[in-house]
Amino acid sequence: MSEKKGKFYWVPHVIRHDFWRKFFALFFAMLVTATVYTDKREHENDSFTIHNVQPTLRLENGFVWKIQNLQQVSLSVRGPKSKLFDLKPEDFTLDYVIGEQEYRNRNKNGRQYVTLRAEDVRCRHPKSALLQVLDISPSEYTIAIDKIITKELPLKAEYAAEDLPKGYSVRSISFPDVKKIKAVGPEHLFRKGMTINTMPIPLKDHVSDFSTNVRLHPIEGLTFEREQVAVSVKLKKTHREEIGGMKVVLMLPPEKAGRFSVEPLNPSTVKVTVTGEKNTIDQLKPEDLLIYADLTNIAGPGIYKDVPLRYSVLKPGIEGISAVFINPLAIPEITVEEKTGPLSPALQNLVPEEKKAEVKKPEEKKAEVKKPEEKKK
């Protein structure tokens, strides 16, 4: 009698043998494969960008902002987007302390900058461990900072001369205690030839030398080691005197004086007003001043308009003259003509060689030699 066939006799023995164990093994294998495949797809697509991240830059001691840059950057990140769907720019921080190195750094445009690095980014998100920062754009973050320095600057006195009583002027102003003041501030505020000015020194009602304290004029951005300084002011009494009928002379170099002649000057005399210290003016005589019309630069004969009048003090060692005013200030018209005839030997030595060729010597007449007359036969 043949063996009775089972219910699933048509299923191969290799499958029917230990069927349930094999079934669950296959099920779990498929489940793991699906999970790995899903994770792989998610990781392939989860590279994305976070915009509007604001770096935080702090300055070392001794540096200040010229212009504070509020430029924002973008972060290229990678991670499971499904788990990081709530990421915000505020979740990221990028902190730097900048100083001497960044102050000296210059890019191709001549601007200061700091280099931002992806490894310096910090994330405060609860699942930040799943996140990787790949890149920062822009990584060259431009800045504008300045260095605090200390410099000694010279003092300069400020005053209004018109505040003095009539007839007085300032002889000198000095600083008996200090000649320079230390100033502290950003380097770009210091310029070549810079001074620290005082506030206007009060001169009203002063007719003699005096000393006082005066405040320094503030400069925005700088601090001074002191707020005021002592000044010593010396005054002098001025005197004014008019001298009329001063003769005007002509200024011509010797080589031109031998070549040119000048018509009489009109006006030939002028009025001169001299201002200065009273003792000096009292000792000044008309012959101590020379008033002249300057024709040293004339090129040749012609009519010269508005030739200025100048003055010179002939008395040696004289001091205390503050101003000389000539009225009128110029000769309206001066006519210069070429001289005819040979120059004197003394003037010929003053004429340049190229000019001597222009001066022709008169031709000497040869003596006529008369033939003796033949005797008449």
Side-chain angles (χ1 to χ4, degrees):
M1 188 174 175
S2 60
E3 186 178 345
K4 188 177 180 181
K5 294 182 178 181
K7 186 176 181 180
F8 297 102
Y9 67 91
W10 48 272
V11 178
H13 181 267
V14 69
I15 297 176
R16 282 187 289 114
H17 180 70
D18 202 6
F19 174 77
W20 292 110
R21 185 177 64 81
K22 292 178 179 178
F23 173 78
F24 283 111
L26 179 61
F27 174 77
F28 283 114
M30 293 174 63
L31 184 62
V32 171
T33 301
T35 303
V36 171
Y37 180 75
T38 302
D39 286 348
K40 183 179 179 181
R41 289 194 61 185
E42 288 181 357
H43 279 82
E44 286 177 351
N45 297 329
D46 280 1
S47 291
F48 52 95
T49 302
I50 302 294
H51 298 287
N52 303 325
V53 176
Q54 179 65 60
T56 301
L57 305 179
R58 293 173 303 201
L59 297 177
E60 293 179 358
N61 289 335
F63 295 89
V64 293
W65 290 105
K66 290 171 72 175
I67 301 175
Q68 192 154 4
N69 191 2
L70 298 178
Q71 178 185 355
Q72 296 175 327
V73 298
S74 298
L75 306 180
S76 296
V77 298
R78 177 185 295 159
K81 195 169 185 179
S82 59
K83 296 182 180 180
L84 298 169
F85 64 90
D86 56 344
L87 272 176
K88 301 183 296 297
E90 294 78 13
D91 293 330
F92 297 89
T93 58
L94 192 56
D95 296 339
Y96 286 94
V97 177
I98 58 179
E100 185 68 28
Q101 181 177 345
E102 292 75 19
Y103 173 71
R104 298 187 181 278
N105 282 348
R106 293 293 188 276
N107 61 15
K108 61 182 180 180
N109 296 322
R111 300 189 63 183
Q112 300 164 321
Y113 71 95
V114 57
T115 302
L116 306 181
R117 299 173 298 181
E119 56 266 29
D120 296 331
V121 178
R122 298 291 178 265
C123 182
R124 295 190 294 266
H125 193 274
K127 296 181 180 179
S128 59
L130 303 175
L131 187 69
Q132 180 186 5
V133 179
L134 304 176
D135 191 25
I136 302 176
S137 178
S139 60
E140 187 181 274
Y141 194 84
T142 57
I143 56 176
I145 64 174
D146 207 352
K147 191 174 185 179
I148 300 297
I149 63 171
T150 301
K151 272 192 175 184
E152 284 191 339
L153 299 177
L155 289 167
K156 181 180 178 182
E158 291 287 342
Y159 62 93
E162 59 271 17
D163 289 346
L164 283 170
K166 188 176 180 180
Y168 289 86
S169 61
V170 174
R171 182 193 300 272
S172 66
I173 295 180
S174 61
F175 302 95
D177 296 340
V178 291
K179 300 296 184 292
K180 293 184 177 182
I181 294 291
K182 288 182 179 179
V184 181
E187 189 172 19
H188 77 277
L189 294 180
F190 292 91
R191 303 178 303 277
K192 186 177 180 180
M194 187 176 182
T195 61
I196 298 178
N197 294 358
T198 66
M199 298 297 284
I201 300 173
L203 298 178
K204 288 184 177 180
D205 302 326
H206 284 284
V207 294
S208 61
D209 300 347
F210 68 96
S211 297
T212 185
N213 291 328
V214 62
R215 295 179 63 83
L216 299 177
H217 196 288
I219 300 176
E220 187 176 358
L222 300 184
T223 57
F224 305 140
E225 63 177 330
R226 58 174 68 190
E227 294 183 353
Q228 61 181 14
V229 292
V231 294
S232 177
V233 182
K234 292 185 177 180
L235 303 179
K236 60 183 178 180
K237 190 172 183 180
T238 58
H239 184 67
R240 179 176 178 177
E241 183 171 335
E242 291 185 354
I243 306 174
M246 291 289 293
K247 185 178 179 182
V248 179
V249 299
L250 191 65
M251 181 67 70
L252 264 178
E255 67 274 15
K256 291 183 180 180
R259 291 182 54 205
F260 303 117
S261 62
V262 180
E263 291 186 358
L265 301 179
N266 184 22
S268 59
T269 61
V270 294
K271 182 172 68 174
V272 176
T273 303
V274 184
T275 303
E277 296 183 25
K278 190 175 187 306
N279 291 338
T280 301
I281 302 301
D282 289 344
Q283 297 175 10
L284 190 67
K285 299 176 182 178
E287 55 267 27
D288 294 332
L289 286 177
L290 174 66
I291 310 299
Y292 62 92
D294 191 357
L295 288 178
T296 55
N297 295 324
I298 63 171
I303 298 176
Y304 293 86
K305 301 282 189 179
D306 297 324
V307 179
L309 293 178
R310 309 183 189 281
Y311 77 93
S312 179
V313 181
L314 300 179
K315 189 175 182 180
I318 193 167
E319 296 179 357
I321 295 178
S322 57
V324 175
F325 181 76
I326 304 171
N327 185 23
L329 294 174
I331 301 295
E333 184 178 292
I334 296 180
T335 302
V336 178
E337 297 177 348
E338 187 91 28
K339 283 184 178 180
T340 57
L343 300 177
S344 66
L347 288 176
Q348 284 183 2
N349 295 330
L350 298 175
V351 178
E353 293 296 329
E354 61 271 14
K355 297 295 183 181
K356 287 182 180 180
E358 300 177 4
V359 182
K360 296 182 179 180
K361 293 182 179 180
E363 296 183 0
E364 295 181 0
K365 293 183 179 181
K366 293 181 179 180
E368 295 181 359
V369 179
K370 295 183 179 181
K371 293 181 180 180
E373 295 181 357
E374 293 183 4
K375 293 183 178 180
K376 293 181 180 180
K377 292 181 181 181

